């Protein structure tokens, strides 16, 4: 089929193709997709992880590492948005890795990311008991986790619209809280605190600060930051259930920069300025105190501290809800692509992959059951696993992006892209190199001052497992590296010709503003 024929053909998704992944119902509205894009990036990593990062690396490490990882994530999202707008399927970057690099690469990445989401859900359930300890130590450690586990399974198994609506309102609450936190943080810093003193940058000059623990402390914050940003890329997994994906996904990606700057960089700055790195319970084996809660306490209100802690509790539920959604969709994709038993591809009458939801939640429940070893310690290990898994996913997105563009160029289809990554080719290459370097050095602390075998495993176990899965599948299935001229750039494709033009005038402007604000 030549280019001219393709341009004059009917829309791919409505006539010529019945996309495999489109067996899932496209019921997520633009406002839900926009808000889920924020929700995927705000959870335990920001509300609890920043406290751990501050305690182990200091205020300067916290700010620098979150800024560096934020830049990597932004470039990665531009690369992913370009591919997801062109091929909006539930498998997202896992499917792209199989199509544009090697089927074995896609197999290893998808199983890795599915496990990432299962572990993320478990980490959120563990985090619930850490947050609950702010109020009481007598409530059974397992009770709240089981209750929330049941509720998020229910939200994910009813239908995708129920998931989207629950996530929308939980995310809206988180966003409002962070806005209030930043404003309050400024007030606390300039004197609106219980001691009525100007804080300024005082906490950057506490003995041991601003870089705590030297190179080991600095490097260890990278995995915490990667855990915090994890989920940003999973917004593309909603592509298989998003209305008008070729239009909505580029909009989501373009707004990621401002959300990273506002929610992560500014929050990290205010935390580092107002909270000393040696504040009690920021990073202990059994408990965690969120720096967000501390900031509200510093403003002189125990009630406000309790309110923020309650919001953090709901944000953790939201993050767990989102992780279970993404994990179940990836397990469904594995089944559809022949990488997992076909039973995981079964759908309800509302087109929800119910077997995948139940199995993913079951694995999360098993991991959560290990909380008896100490919730704080378990959460740290799970966070390390998820952080490294996120980094492997970002590296894979960069590689898939380079191969995707090579295929488009070889087949003369670059002009059909609904959205282009303006950082290509430098952006993906820099992101791959930086991510690879960070993966190798961030476990520095497990070697010094003495070797910690358990920490070493949590930092590096993902690497040999990923490599083993890749090699095993390649040998068993005898897969081949995808040539640019032979890549599948037809199945499930949405081109810029499939997008209806935006409304003009005041109506169009109002819709665009409302879309950015997630209304």
């Amino acid at each position: 089929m030549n280019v001219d024929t393709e341009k004059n053909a009917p829309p791919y998704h409505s006539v010529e193709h019945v996309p495999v992944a489109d067996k899932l119902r496209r019921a997520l509205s633009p406002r839900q997709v926009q808000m889920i894009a924020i929700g995927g990036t705000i959870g335990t990593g920001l509300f609890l992880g920043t406290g751990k990062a501050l305690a182990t690396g200091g205020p300067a490490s916290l700010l620098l590492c979150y800024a560096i990882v934020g830049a990597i994530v932004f470039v990665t999202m531009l690369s992913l948005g370009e591919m997801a707008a062109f091929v909006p399927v539930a498998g997202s970057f896992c499917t792209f890795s199989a199509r544009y690099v090697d089927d074995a690469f896609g197999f290893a990445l998808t199983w890795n990311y599915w496990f990432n989401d299962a572990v993320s859900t478990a980490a959120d359930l563990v985090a619930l008991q850490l947050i609950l300890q702010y109020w009481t130590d007598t409530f059974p450690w397992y009770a709240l986790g089981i209750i929330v586990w049941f509720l998020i399974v229910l939200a994910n198994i009813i239908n995708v619209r129920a998931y989207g609506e629950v996530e929308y309102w939980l995310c809206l609450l988180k966003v409002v809280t962070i806005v209030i936190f930043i404003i309050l943080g400024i007030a606390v810093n300039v004197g609106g605190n219980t001691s009525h003193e100007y804080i300024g940058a005082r906490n950057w000059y506490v003995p041991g600060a601003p870089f705590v623990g030297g190179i080991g402390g600095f490097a260890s914050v990278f995995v915490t930051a990667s855990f915090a940003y994890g989920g940003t890329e999973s917004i593309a997994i909603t592509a298989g259930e998003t209305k008008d994906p070729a239009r909505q996904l580029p909009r989501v990606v373009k707004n990621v920069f401002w959300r990273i700057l506002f929610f992560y960089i500014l929050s990290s700055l205010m935390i580092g300025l107002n909270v000393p790195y040696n504040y009690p319970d920021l990073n202990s084996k059994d408990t965690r105190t969120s720096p967000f809660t501390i900031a509200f306490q510093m403003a002189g209100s125990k009630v406000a501290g309790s309110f923020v802690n309650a919001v953090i509790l709901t944000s953790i539920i939201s993050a767990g809800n989102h992780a279970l959604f993404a994990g179940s969709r990836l397990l469904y994709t594995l089944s559809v692509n022949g990488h997992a038993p076909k039973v995981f591809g079964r759908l309800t009458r509302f087109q929800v992959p119910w077997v995948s939801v139940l199995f993913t939640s079951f694995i999360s429940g098993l991991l959560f059951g290990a909380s008896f070893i100490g919730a704080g310690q378990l959460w740290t290990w799970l966070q390390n696993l998820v952080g490294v898994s996120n980094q492997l996913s970002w590296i894979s997105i960069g590689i898939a992006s380079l191969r995707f563009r090579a295929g488009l160029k070889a087949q003369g289809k670059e002009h059909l892209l609904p959205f282009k990554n303006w950082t290509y080719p430098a952006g993906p290459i820099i992101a791959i190199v930086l991510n690879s370097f960070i993966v190798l050095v961030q476990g520095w602390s497990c070697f010094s001052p003495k070797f910690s075998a358990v920490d070493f495993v949590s930092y590096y176990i993902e690497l040999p497992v990923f490599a083993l899965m890749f090699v095993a599948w390649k040998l068993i299935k005898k897969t081949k590296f995808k040539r640019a001229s032979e890549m599948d750039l037809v199945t499930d494709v949405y081109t810029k010709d499939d997008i209806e033009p935006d409304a003009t005038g005041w109506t169009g402007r109002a819709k665009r503003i409302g879309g950015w604000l997630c209304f």
Side-chain angles (χ1 to χ4, degrees):
M1 182 184 289
N2 60 40
V3 174
D4 293 333
T5 305
E6 288 176 7
K7 289 177 70 175
N8 296 325
Y12 288 104
H13 60 289
S14 60
V15 179
E16 287 192 355
H17 305 293
V18 181
V20 171
D22 276 1
K23 290 179 182 176
L24 299 176
R25 180 170 294 177
R26 293 190 181 275
L28 291 176
S29 67
R31 71 178 176 87
Q32 290 172 335
V33 172
Q34 285 277 11
M35 192 57 84
I36 291 169
I38 302 173
T41 64
I42 301 174
T44 51
L46 181 61
F47 288 122
L48 278 178
T50 45
K52 176 183 178 293
L54 179 63
T56 57
S61 297
L62 172 67
L63 184 61
L64 282 175
C65 291
Y66 272 67
I68 292 169
V69 175
I72 291 172
V73 168
F74 177 59
V75 172
T76 301
M77 285 301 294
L78 288 173
S79 303
L80 179 58
E82 180 179 74
M83 294 185 287
F86 192 66
V87 184
V89 293
S92 185
F93 52 90
C94 299
T95 298
F96 304 149
S97 295
R99 282 194 189 184
Y100 310 133
V101 184
D102 190 305
D103 189 57
F105 192 61
F107 170 82
L109 178 61
T110 312
W111 274 112
N112 167 77
Y113 203 76
W114 169 79
F115 184 67
N116 173 344
D117 285 320
V119 173
S120 292
T121 306
D124 292 327
L125 294 175
V126 172
L128 288 172
Q129 66 195 84
L130 294 173
I131 293 298
L132 190 65
Q133 286 167 358
Y134 177 81
W135 293 296
T136 177
D137 289 320
T138 58
F139 195 78
W141 64 266
Y142 53 84
L144 183 61
I146 291 174
I147 293 168
V148 170
W149 177 83
F150 176 77
L151 290 175
I152 63 175
V153 170
L154 200 63
N156 275 270
I157 216 164
I158 295 174
N159 60 49
V160 71
R161 191 171 296 167
Y163 156 79
E165 203 59 32
V166 168
E167 194 67 10
Y168 176 84
W169 292 106
L170 289 175
C171 290
L172 183 60
L173 181 61
K174 288 189 283 187
V175 171
V176 171
T177 301
I178 292 177
V179 172
I180 294 172
F181 166 77
I182 291 171
I183 295 170
L184 185 70
I186 296 171
V188 165
N189 189 263
V190 298
N193 50 64
T194 51
S195 57
H196 305 293
E197 293 179 352
Y198 174 73
I199 297 174
R202 181 195 307 168
N203 291 319
W204 283 56
Y205 298 99
V206 173
F211 291 98
V212 177
I215 184 65
F218 176 75
S220 68
V221 177
F222 278 117
V223 75
T224 307
S226 298
F227 173 78
Y229 283 105
T232 313
E233 71 288 338
S234 66
I235 183 60
I237 293 172
T238 66
E241 292 163 273
T242 301
K243 298 173 183 175
D244 194 10
R247 180 195 301 279
Q248 299 306 329
L249 292 176
R251 286 180 176 174
V252 168
V253 169
K254 288 174 184 176
N255 292 335
V256 163
F257 172 80
W258 301 109
R259 287 163 185 168
I260 288 174
L261 178 66
F262 190 79
F263 295 126
Y264 286 91
I265 309 304
L266 281 182
S267 292
S268 299
L269 176 62
M270 298 316 303
I271 288 167
L273 288 174
N274 293 334
V275 183
Y277 78 89
N278 52 6
Y279 192 92
D281 292 335
L282 275 180
N283 183 36
S284 68
K285 180 178 179 180
D286 298 310
T287 61
R288 290 285 190 280
T289 302
S290 169
F292 284 76
T293 304
I294 294 168
F296 278 79
Q297 285 179 339
M298 291 173 71
S301 175
K302 180 73 175 177
V303 174
S306 291
F307 169 74
V308 172
N309 218 53
V311 172
I312 294 172
L313 203 67
T314 64
S315 81
I316 292 170
I317 296 171
S318 166
N321 186 37
H322 181 72
L324 181 57
F325 172 86
S328 60
R329 270 50 183 185
L330 285 173
L331 189 54
Y332 167 80
T333 300
L334 281 164
S335 175
V336 167
N337 292 341
H339 294 161
K342 291 195 178 297
V343 67
F344 294 122
R346 290 185 180 177
L347 303 174
T348 66
R349 64 190 181 94
F350 296 109
Q351 295 166 291
V352 173
W354 66 276
V355 179
S356 292
V357 171
L358 292 179
F359 185 74
T360 304
S361 60
F362 173 71
I363 297 300
S364 299
L366 287 180
L367 291 168
F368 167 68
S371 294
F372 66 86
I373 65 174
Q377 185 62 68
L378 177 63
W379 187 77
T380 297
W381 290 338
L382 294 178
Q383 175 199 257
N384 291 347
L385 286 170
V386 173
V388 176
S389 179
N390 288 333
Q391 291 160 345
L392 289 175
S393 298
W394 299 338
I395 292 169
S396 301
I397 289 169
I399 294 171
S401 173
L402 294 174
R403 295 302 305 150
F404 171 69
R405 275 297 193 101
L408 287 173
K409 185 175 182 180
Q411 298 182 31
K413 295 184 176 182
E414 287 179 293
H415 66 286
L416 295 175
L417 285 173
F419 169 69
K420 286 191 176 182
N421 172 16
W422 55 268
T423 67
Y424 174 86
I429 293 172
I430 292 171
I432 291 168
V433 172
L434 267 178
N435 262 316
S436 301
F437 177 73
I438 290 171
V439 166
L440 296 176
V441 304
Q442 65 193 0
W444 188 290
S445 60
C446 69
F447 296 100
S448 176
K450 64 178 183 178
F451 180 70
S452 170
V454 175
D455 288 344
F456 176 81
V457 169
S458 69
Y459 277 114
Y460 294 110
I461 189 64
E462 290 273 358
L463 304 182
V465 169
F466 187 93
L468 181 63
M469 293 183 75
F470 172 77
V471 172
W473 192 257
K474 192 163 186 65
L475 293 177
I476 293 170
K477 295 295 182 177
K478 296 180 173 56
T479 64
K480 293 183 179 180
F481 181 74
K482 304 289 184 181
R483 295 178 180 273
S485 58
E486 298 172 357
M487 289 178 188
D488 179 4
L489 295 171
V490 175
T491 308
D492 303 343
V493 163
Y494 278 56
T495 72
K496 61 184 180 182
D497 297 328
D498 295 322
I499 303 174
E500 292 295 328
D502 271 325
T504 56
W506 286 106
T507 304
R509 290 194 194 100
K511 282 185 177 179
R512 285 191 290 275
I513 294 170
W516 199 91
L517 294 173
C518 308
F519 293 129

